[in-house]
Structure formats: structure tokens, C-alpha cells
């Protein structure tokens, strides 16, 4: 009986080691979203000032064509890293990109786009506490969603979009949904 008592910590360590090893094989960016294959949350966001005839972003704007919805903020360091690539995607003309300026002063968001370039077809303002971003299940900026022609969320990417993410994840999904 005493031997079993001595083996208990070794067995517990073995079980914990298996959990940790399993965790090492997982991608931390793959956070499941309950919104995948569900309609985009209802929204009607005010426009960012200084963007001409942009009327903001509403749920209805995300129907009829496959599109990307990018959550960003002028305060977001990773958004600065991602932004030049979003401008490149815009220049390719493959898919419209819509922005949600999250938890930001609208004037700062507008100034940030003037400084870094504006890749967005439409931009809606989601001030603190960021109710729309909460409805999207956003955990931090930047996050990018692929929305199909019917306004259904098909994919969620957490973190900056770069060439690798575009080539190996987003573009294949967009091509498949555009058929």
C-alpha cells in the first residue's frame, strides 16, 4: 500500500506532462469563436470623421460580396505592424476591407488613417466599451473576420495579417467563398 502512495506523485506528474505536451502542439492563435458560421452581429456604427461620403458600417453593408472586417485602433501597436499589408490587399482589389475603429477617439482614428494610409471601404466607430467588438467576440486588436456573401462569419484571425496569413489562410478562404 505504501508503494502506491509513493507512485501517486509520479503518476500525477505523468498526467500533467501529457497535458503540457498536448498544449505545446496547439496554435495559440486558434481560439474557437462561437460566431463561426453565424450571421454578423447587428450593428449600425457611425462613420469615422474625414472619410468623405463614408456613412459608417452596418450589418447590411456586409451582404452581397465576400469581405474582410478588420478591428483596429490608433492605440494598437500590432495594428501599425499589420496596416501596410492591409493597404497592399486593398491595392490588389480582391476583397473589400471594412474597418471597425475600436475603443478609440474618432479624431485619433481619422488622424491615424491619414498618417498610415486608408485600406478600408467603410469604417465604423465603436467607442469604449466597444459593444460591437464584444458582440463579435473580440479579445484584442487587431482581429480580422472573413464574411461571406450572405453576411455569415466564416473565419476569425487573431493578430496581424501578414503575407503568410494572407497566402495560406485568408486568400484560400476568400477564393472558395467567392465561387
Amino acid at each position: 500500500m505504501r508503494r502506491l502512495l509513493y507512485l501517486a506523485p509520479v503518476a500525477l506528474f505523468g498526467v500533467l506532462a501529457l497535458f503540457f505536451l498536448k498544449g505545446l502542439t496547439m496554435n495559440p492563435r486558434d481560439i474557437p469563436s462561437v460566431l463561426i458560421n453565424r450571421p454578423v452581429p447587428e450593428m449600425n456604427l457611425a462613420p469615422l470623421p474625414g472619410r468623405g461620403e463614408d456613412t459608417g458600417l452596418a450589418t447590411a453593408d456586409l451582404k452581397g460580396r465576400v469581405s474582410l472586417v478588420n478591428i483596429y485602433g490608433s492605440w494598437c501597436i500590432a495594428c501599425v505592424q499589420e496596416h501596410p499589408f492591409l493597404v497592399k490587399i486593398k491595392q490588389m482589389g480582391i476583397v473589400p476591407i471594412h474597418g471597425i475603429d475600436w475603443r478609440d477617439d474618432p479624431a485619433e482614428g481619422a488622424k491615424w488613417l491619414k498618417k498610415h494610409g486608408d485600406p478600408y471601404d467603410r469604417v465604423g466607430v465603436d467607442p469604449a466599451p466597444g459593444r460591437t467588438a464584444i458582440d463579435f467576440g473580440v479579445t484584442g486588436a487587431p482581429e480580422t473576420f472573413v464574411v461571406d456573401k450572405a453576411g455569415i462569419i466564416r473565419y476569425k484571425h487573431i493578430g496581424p495579417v501578414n503575407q503568410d496569413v494572407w497566402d495560406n489562410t485568408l486568400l484560400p478562404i476568400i477564393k472558395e467563398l467567392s465561387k
Side-chain angles (χ1 to χ4, degrees):
M1 186 60 138
R2 276 198 181 282
R3 280 188 165 169
L4 288 176
L5 202 56
Y6 289 117
L7 290 176
V10 173
L12 180 62
F13 176 77
V15 170
L16 286 174
L18 288 174
F19 278 112
F20 286 127
L21 286 173
K22 172 66 176 163
L24 289 174
T25 65
M26 299 173 77
N27 184 345
R29 293 193 188 279
D30 289 343
I31 298 174
S33 173
V34 296
L35 292 179
I36 301 300
N37 298 323
R38 296 219 173 145
V40 169
E42 284 299 318
M43 64 178 165
N44 190 11
L45 300 175
L48 197 64
R51 292 197 74 246
E53 296 181 24
D54 187 358
T55 58
L57 185 62
T59 305
D61 299 325
L62 301 176
K63 294 181 180 173
R65 186 170 177 199
V66 176
S67 59
L68 296 177
V69 176
N70 178 255
I71 312 293
Y72 77 97
S74 67
W75 48 267
C76 168
I77 294 169
C79 296
V80 174
Q81 175 189 358
E82 167 187 67
H83 203 74
F85 196 76
L86 294 178
V87 172
K88 184 177 174 181
I89 293 171
K90 172 72 171 182
Q91 292 168 347
M92 290 181 213
I94 295 170
V95 64
I97 307 171
H98 305 293
I100 296 179
D101 188 20
W102 181 43
R103 292 185 170 184
D104 208 355
D105 177 311
E108 289 299 314
K111 187 166 53 171
W112 192 84
L113 286 181
K114 282 185 180 174
K115 178 180 178 183
H116 296 285
D118 188 347
Y120 303 112
D121 287 46
R122 296 177 161 277
V123 177
V125 177
D126 189 23
R131 184 73 229 165
T132 298
I134 290 169
D135 292 344
F136 268 90
V138 170
T139 57
E143 289 189 15
T144 303
F145 296 83
V146 178
V147 179
D148 74 9
K149 297 173 187 179
I152 306 296
I153 296 172
R154 296 300 180 178
Y155 183 79
K156 174 183 180 178
H157 175 75
I158 297 172
V161 172
N162 56 32
Q163 190 73 53
D164 181 56
V165 170
W166 175 253
D167 290 340
N168 298 312
T169 306
L170 298 180
L171 185 56
I173 293 170
I174 291 165
K175 284 181 176 180
E176 182 63 31
L177 292 173
S178 295
K179 289 181 180 179

